[in-house]
Amino acid sequence: MIISTIARFVQFVLVPVAVIMFFYGKTKNPTLEGAKKNFATDVVVSVISLILTALLLFKFDWKGSFSTTAETGTSLNMFAIVAMLIGYVIIPVLVYFYAKAHTDKRLHSNYITEI
């Protein structure tokens, strides 16, 4: 449940940032030519959603989510911490390097084919 909650927070940050980047034309890939842009919906609403997400992150019970309470006291929830590290640090890093290696390999093979 903790991983699901954190994933939603990540989505609540990434989507508004992507919409703002779309509005200002800072995307890596081409966008649809007929896509209409609106400052109020693309920037203002996105900034408001980022502010509200920051408030939710501030109010989130981090201590309760990453600790367990037993008769002997409170201790770290190592399962939740390790799952977060694997899901949000290790896997993304591995996927990045895997994609980069395959992209570089494909670019290299296309370059050799052109020669």
Side-chain angles (χ1 to χ4, degrees), residues 47-87:
V47 169
I48 291 170
S49 69
L50 287 172
I51 292 168
L52 291 174
T53 300
L55 289 172
L56 286 172
L57 286 169
F58 180 73
K59 297 295 282 179
F60 186 70
D61 182 18
W62 295 98
K63 185 177 178 182
S65 296
F66 291 101
S67 63
T68 56
T69 304
E71 293 176 5
T72 57
T74 303
S75 63
L76 288 176
N77 184 348
M78 291 308 292
F79 180 74
I81 294 169
V82 169
M84 289 289 294
L85 287 173
I86 291 171

Side-chain angles (χ1 to χ4, degrees), residues 7-102:
R8 292 219 178 21
F9 280 133
V10 170
Q11 292 170 349
F12 292 157
V13 171
L14 291 178
V15 170
V17 169
V19 171
I20 292 169
M21 288 177 64
F22 162 75
F23 180 81
Y24 287 109
K26 303 290 184 186
T27 57
K28 289 182 181 181
N29 298 325
T31 57
L32 296 172
E33 290 180 26
K36 296 180 182 178
K37 297 178 181 182
N38 183 318
F39 183 80
T41 58
D42 294 346
V43 177
V44 175
V45 172
S46 294
V47 169
I48 291 170
S49 69
L50 287 172
I51 292 168
L52 291 174
T53 300
L55 289 172
L56 286 172
L57 286 169
F58 180 73
K59 297 295 282 179
F60 186 70
D61 182 18
W62 295 98
K63 185 177 178 182
S65 296
F66 291 101
S67 63
T68 56
T69 304
E71 293 176 5
T72 57
T74 303
S75 63
L76 288 176
N77 184 348
M78 291 308 292
F79 180 74
I81 294 169
V82 169
M84 289 289 294
L85 287 173
I86 291 171
Y88 290 104
V89 177
I90 295 171
I91 291 175
V93 167
L94 293 175
V95 169
Y96 170 79
F97 285 117
Y98 177 81
K100 185 169 174 50
H102 282 272

